[in-house]
Amino acid sequence: MKMISGYTANGDRLQQLKAFDESKSGVKGIVDKGITKIPPIFVRPPEFSGGDKPSSGHRIRTQFSVPVVDLADTVGRRADVVAGVRRAAETVGFFQVVNHGIPKRVLDEMLAAASGFHELQREVKSEYYSRELLRKVKFGSNFDLYQSRFANWRDSLLCVMGPEPLDPQELPLICRDITMEYSENVHKMGVTLFELLSEALGLKPDHLIELDCAKGHLIISHYYPPCPEPELTMGTSKHSDPDFLTILLQDQIGGLQVLSENQWIDVPPVPGALVVNIGDLLQLVSNDRFKSVEHQVLANHAGPRVSIACFFTLHLHPSTRLYGPIKELLSEDCPPVYKETSLKDFIAYYDEKGLDGNSALTHFKCQR
């Protein structure tokens, strides 16, 4: 039987995964026991951590500077803002946004409330622990726990905020009001960004909105506890996002990296700024004009690290709409790169695949 990290690939590992899952206490529950070594299920296999490969998770210093888009005046400076968004979306697939209009108080309270939830007593948190696909509010650790080669050092609280408005009573009390307020603010910002991205493609401002790109969104509060052996695991494995657009609020700990020109680039936290990245579905409908950026989060001795990701997608909301490259972007010289797909099929493939370091988009490419 094949051995991985000193234990059998089948029986022992599955038992350990089940025990971790059934504890309903996540990674924080392990850390609270005062461990000095990480459990084997979290250890990266050698092929995920060798040498200078981009998959290694080692910090690589470069002179690269993260693109910054200033939303202070999107009317008077429209052409400049659109040009900045286009440049970032087409080249690296991500940018930091400043002067976005979301008050600092809202950002600070959202981070504090997310941390507060993850630091609740296990008995309170475990009521929300679930792997039910369609549950709107659920706490968990590693959505791909049973598919991945190694578990990530991360717990998450997922809240589906739209398109059907979430009943606030479904949210944990400790983060209820601020999640609703942050959701309203970040959705408004998302609409603005989709208008700018539409114009960056040479389309009418409402084109991506008309495709329902901003119709649904979900908020995931990630919690990365301090790790005693960060070099052996990852906070989040290399991946791209299965949505149209992601807006990320991160605290000051750091650890987020994006892959650019085959090098891992640190995305340093900037107080008050939000990180925006293009998702797989926007790369698909833009026919590869925009790049869905691959990114990862390093595990860290310091912590906990908290980040709040807002995914713009209808996710599993019933929809008959098929998504393929936007017709206005196609020509004889620029044929479609991707087949049409429903969101349900795209998400099903992404979830089944898990965070294996490979892009889900490859599966949906047209056969040449």
Side-chain angles (χ1 to χ4, degrees):
M1 188 178 284
K2 188 180 177 188
M3 299 287 287
I4 297 176
S5 303
Y7 60 104
T8 56
N10 299 330
D12 288 359
R13 184 169 190 275
L14 185 58
Q15 282 184 332
Q16 290 177 35
L17 290 171
K18 282 183 174 175
F20 171 67
D21 200 13
E22 289 165 7
S23 76
K24 298 186 177 183
S25 55
V27 176
K28 186 173 187 299
I30 298 172
V31 172
D32 287 346
K33 291 176 181 173
I35 58 155
T36 55
K37 292 194 172 298
I38 66 173
I41 60 170
F42 293 94
V43 176
R44 285 188 301 188
E47 63 268 30
F48 281 82
S49 55
D52 295 319
K53 294 176 187 172
S55 58
S56 68
H58 292 231
R59 292 183 184 275
I60 297 174
R61 303 291 175 192
T62 72
Q63 295 305 109
F64 183 91
S65 62
V66 179
V68 175
V69 172
D70 187 341
L71 294 183
D73 181 8
T74 57
V75 179
R77 294 178 48 253
R78 191 78 175 181
D80 287 347
V81 177
V82 169
V85 166
R86 180 190 301 114
R87 196 160 47 245
E90 289 183 350
T91 55
V92 291
F94 79 106
F95 47 94
Q96 301 246 33
V97 173
V98 296
N99 296 317
H100 43 67
I102 303 180
K104 183 176 182 299
R105 171 195 64 81
V106 174
L107 304 182
D108 292 346
E109 287 183 17
M110 186 67 226
L111 286 169
S115 186
F117 169 80
H118 286 286
E119 289 167 6
L120 288 170
Q121 292 297 313
R122 177 199 167 279
E123 295 71 29
V124 181
K125 276 195 304 188
S126 64
E127 291 178 27
Y128 294 93
Y129 194 93
S130 175
R131 292 197 180 274
E132 283 179 47
L133 204 56
L134 296 176
R135 185 161 165 176
K136 286 193 164 186
V137 176
K138 58 186 175 184
F139 161 58
S141 186
N142 291 263
F143 76 91
D144 59 346
L145 184 67
Y146 294 101
Q147 290 94 345
S148 65
R149 291 292 306 280
F150 67 102
N152 286 174
W153 200 256
R154 177 189 77 252
D155 296 332
S156 307
L157 175 68
L158 179 144
C159 309
V160 180
M161 307 304 297
E164 291 169 357
L166 180 67
D167 178 356
Q169 297 304 312
E170 291 190 48
L171 290 164
L173 181 60
I174 194 166
C175 56
R176 183 175 299 160
D177 292 347
I178 189 60
T179 300
M180 297 302 293
E181 186 177 2
Y182 181 72
S183 173
E184 185 181 339
N185 275 273
V186 80
H187 180 261
K188 197 180 297 181
M189 177 183 161
V191 168
T192 298
L193 289 171
F194 279 120
E195 290 173 347
L196 294 168
L197 288 159
S198 293
E199 291 180 52
L201 288 169
L203 304 167
K204 290 186 297 185
D206 62 354
H207 198 107
L208 291 172
I209 305 292
E210 292 293 313
L211 289 179
D212 293 341
C213 293
K215 189 173 179 180
H217 68 287
L218 48 98
I219 290 175
I220 308 179
S221 300
H222 291 308
Y223 184 90
Y224 301 85
C227 181
E229 298 179 295
E231 69 285 354
L232 298 183
T233 189
M234 292 294 292
T236 304
S237 298
K238 172 188 169 188
H239 69 289
S240 54
D241 292 342
D243 61 355
F244 293 102
L245 196 70
T246 304
I247 298 176
L248 181 80
L249 165 63
Q250 57 173 340
D251 68 9
Q252 297 307 301
I253 296 286
L256 174 65
Q257 296 184 322
V258 299
L259 191 60
S260 179
E261 296 182 358
N262 217 34
Q263 289 190 314
W264 284 112
I265 309 294
D266 289 322
V267 183
V270 175
L274 293 164
V275 179
V276 176
N277 67 266
I278 305 298
D280 287 347
L281 293 169
L282 194 49
Q283 178 167 333
L284 186 149
V285 299
S286 73
N287 207 41
D288 277 351
R289 282 273 298 277
F290 291 165
K291 305 291 180 250
S292 178
V293 68
E294 291 187 301
H295 49 290
Q296 64 184 16
V297 178
L298 302 180
N300 204 321
H301 279 298
R305 175 184 186 266
V306 177
S307 68
I308 319 290
C310 178
F311 286 72
F312 283 88
T313 173
L314 286 166
H315 194 52
L316 298 172
H317 183 76
S319 170
T320 55
R321 187 190 281 272
L322 292 177
Y323 285 90
I326 293 168
K327 301 290 187 285
E328 289 85 344
L329 303 180
L330 303 179
S331 66
E332 202 173 315
D333 295 332
C334 188
V337 177
Y338 301 100
K339 302 175 286 191
E340 289 190 328
T341 179
S342 67
L343 291 189
K344 183 181 176 184
D345 287 350
F346 190 90
I347 297 296
Y349 177 75
Y350 186 98
D351 285 354
E352 183 186 347
K353 182 182 75 67
L355 304 187
D356 64 355
N358 299 308
S359 171
L361 284 169
T362 309
H363 180 73
F364 297 92
K365 287 199 168 183
C366 294
Q367 300 301 316
R368 296 287 177 213

